[in-house]
Amino acid sequence: MFISKLSLPRRTFLRGVGATLALPLLDAMVPAATALAQTPAKPTLRFGAVMVPQGAVREAWMPAQTGSNFDFSPTLKPLEPFRDHVVVVSGTGQTSADAGHAPGPIVFLTGVPGKKTEMTDVRAGVSLDQVFAKAIGQTTTFPSIEVATEDFSGYVGACDNGWACAYLNTISWADPTTPLPMEVNPRVVFERLFGGAGTAEQRLARMRVGRSVLDSIAPEATRLRSGLGGRDQEKLDAYLANVREIERRLERAEKNSNAQVQLDAPVGVPTDFGEHVGLMFDMLHVAFQTDTTRVFTFQMARELSQRIYPEIGCLDPHHAMSHHRNEPLLLAANARLQFYHYSLFAAFVEKLKATPDGDGTLLDHVILQYGSGMSDSNAHSHHDLPIVVVGGGAGTIKGNRHLAYPLGTPLANLHVAYAHKLGVDLERFGDSNGVIDL
């Protein structure tokens, strides 16, 4: 038997002037005459955490039934098409957390309440994403990626009743005293992933002449394509088209931002929230697809956020609106906003589902935690957090379930469960006292 097949290493890059582009998993990266299921070896597991601020309206978020085949609540409806990859977890929280906003982003991935201070002596705990970055991310270009949409990193002192601003600016901690910065500029994220000009002036110059990062790697991409099989050619074409579309959208957002905001606004941060979130999710999708990273955190909005959402009829600042005082109109507005956030997340999940990865899809091979470190925004409560787990965990997670745990169950018990699914040796984390059965 004669076998003729282009063989590529898993870490193949297309390189051009100022640009480096990783490739998705192609059949040509699998040794000839070897079953796909036996190589690129077992599926690569990935982890992501997406935090939204200020809790959820319980009546609109909580499913009415527990166990399997539950009815999706109004807020959760955007995730219903992915039912078999969704586990709703209720009842968990951090019972010793202070009744304020700052413990929300602390609790979300550390499982500890944090030290209340207005000074620089902040203390929380190493966050779960950084545990995973060390365990499963060290062979990737970026062990982890941390992104957000709101930048308050210039704020110092107290931002929340005795809590330092640093606590609200991130959900990722390298160690108990080192909060990690979250990148808010999609252009910076794009250039970290793909290269390209670095200054605002260079970016604007490229926009004016219509040059793309992909243009510089086009000759090498053409040469590579000619040696691939038909299925790999289709995969490569779809991937490059996706990257180019991200760049087009980013440039369109930059033009709009430059026209609508003060002249010294940083090029690359869209004024439209949905566009901003969509660009971040699309780049995280590509980063997963190319194995550029296996771990990300995304602070979709910040606790105490003053953002308004005129696109969905919410004209009050989010923070003010979250103190609803159980008034029907404010409760309805909060629920509408939370549905909108879930819709943006669901679009990302759809991309993962549509992306082949080995013998399955990216959605089959990820574990995503979506939710908030606060439950009732009106009471500043951190009990009974609205948490959803999305992804198949490479066959280790059974979806289509609502797991309702007794109040007082540590969220960290869920963190330990993720570690077990990812093959990370972790028996205790934060204030955990057991493990949740995913």
Side-chain angles (χ1 to χ4, degrees):
M1 177 176 65
F2 295 94
I3 298 173
S4 177
K5 180 178 180 182
L6 175 66
S7 180
L8 295 174
R10 177 66 183 92
R11 298 219 168 275
T12 299
F13 297 89
L14 297 178
R15 302 183 189 277
V17 179
T20 301
L21 194 67
L23 292 175
L25 179 63
L26 302 173
D27 292 348
M29 295 170 180
V30 182
T34 306
L36 185 64
Q38 294 172 343
T39 46
K42 59 184 181 181
T44 298
L45 276 167
R46 305 160 178 92
F47 175 80
V50 182
M51 194 210 82
V52 287
Q54 287 144 201
V57 176
R58 181 181 176 86
E59 294 75 11
W61 182 88
M62 181 70 73
Q65 307 90 6
T66 60
S68 302
N69 299 315
F70 63 93
D71 292 332
F72 276 67
S73 64
T75 300
L76 295 174
K77 273 290 183 183
L79 292 179
E80 189 167 16
F82 318 104
R83 170 187 289 276
D84 291 339
H85 289 84
V86 173
V87 181
V88 177
V89 181
S90 61
T92 67
Q94 221 299 331
T95 57
S96 60
D98 181 75
H101 281 274
I106 301 172
V107 163
F108 193 64
L109 287 177
T110 70
V112 300
K115 173 187 176 182
K116 191 170 186 178
T117 178
E118 300 181 11
M119 309 302 289
T120 59
D121 59 331
V122 294
R123 175 171 287 273
V126 60
S127 56
L128 192 69
D129 60 300
Q130 294 307 298
V131 174
F132 293 159
K134 291 179 179 178
I136 67 173
Q138 294 303 304
T139 60
T140 60
T141 306
F142 300 106
S144 64
I145 293 177
E146 299 81 30
V147 297
T149 60
E150 296 179 89
D151 183 11
F152 289 83
S153 57
Y155 284 59
V156 295
C159 279
D160 176 35
N161 293 326
W163 289 91
C165 298
Y167 287 120
L168 290 92
N169 294 336
T170 188
I171 57 175
S172 184
W173 290 72
D175 59 53
T177 59
T178 310
L180 292 175
M182 314 288 283
E183 180 55 60
V184 304
N185 191 328
R187 172 61 72 177
V188 173
V189 178
F190 185 89
E191 289 170 0
R192 284 180 65 194
L193 294 176
F194 309 123
T199 68
E201 292 75 14
Q202 289 171 319
R203 294 196 290 271
L204 287 170
R206 285 175 52 229
M207 287 164 53
R208 292 188 184 106
V209 298
R211 285 167 46 209
S212 166
V213 163
L214 291 186
D215 291 339
S216 68
I217 56 94
E220 190 174 351
T222 300
R223 285 194 298 273
L224 173 66
R225 189 182 187 282
S226 65
L228 297 175
R231 194 166 91 151
D232 275 351
Q233 289 184 358
E234 292 177 2
K235 286 183 182 179
L236 180 62
D237 290 345
Y239 167 65
L240 295 178
N242 186 32
V243 173
R244 189 176 292 277
E245 178 57 25
I246 290 173
E247 189 169 32
R248 285 173 179 160
R249 287 170 51 210
L250 183 54
E251 291 175 354
R252 183 172 65 246
E254 288 172 342
K255 290 176 182 177
N256 291 338
S257 177
N258 196 45
Q260 297 175 19
V261 196
Q262 63 267 31
L263 292 177
D264 60 349
V267 173
V269 179
T271 55
D272 181 81
F273 178 77
E275 181 71 12
H276 195 171
V277 170
L279 280 167
M280 289 300 199
F281 271 137
D282 284 354
M283 287 184 287
L284 294 171
H285 164 241
V286 169
F288 269 1
Q289 183 183 13
T290 57
D291 204 31
T292 302
T293 193
R294 296 174 188 169
V295 179
F296 78 77
T297 49
F298 186 7
Q299 196 173 19
M300 192 187 291
R302 181 181 184 268
E303 288 290 338
L304 296 177
S305 173
Q306 299 300 316
R307 185 187 296 275
I308 62 172
Y309 294 83
E311 61 269 40
I312 57 170
C314 294
L315 301 180
D316 292 320
H318 188 184
H319 177 220
M321 190 171 69
S322 73
H323 289 281
H324 48 74
R325 302 177 297 280
N326 291 318
E327 295 179 9
L329 289 179
L330 286 175
L331 284 169
N334 275 277
R336 188 161 65 249
L337 174 54
Q338 289 149 20
F339 176 88
Y340 177 50
H341 284 163
Y342 267 93
S343 299
L344 296 173
F345 175 62
F348 172 60
V349 175
E350 175 59 43
K351 285 183 178 291
L352 298 179
K353 182 180 179 182
T355 304
D357 185 64
D359 280 348
T361 69
L362 282 179
L363 183 57
D364 295 325
H365 301 154
V366 300
I367 299 174
L368 303 175
Q369 175 176 296
Y370 179 98
S372 180
M374 180 180 287
S375 53
D376 183 347
S377 57
N378 201 52
H380 288 168
S381 172
H382 305 283
H383 307 275
D384 201 6
L385 301 177
I387 301 292
V388 177
V389 182
V390 177
T396 67
I397 295 177
K398 179 184 176 183
N400 189 24
R401 292 184 297 160
H402 171 203
L403 305 179
Y405 281 82
L407 289 179
T409 301
L411 177 62
N413 288 4
L414 184 58
H415 297 156
V416 175
Y418 299 148
H420 291 178
K421 303 301 182 184
L422 291 165
V424 178
D425 186 14
L426 190 70
E427 294 307 315
R428 290 186 60 87
F429 185 76
D431 68 340
S432 69
N433 59 13
V435 58
I436 282 178
D437 182 16
L438 284 179

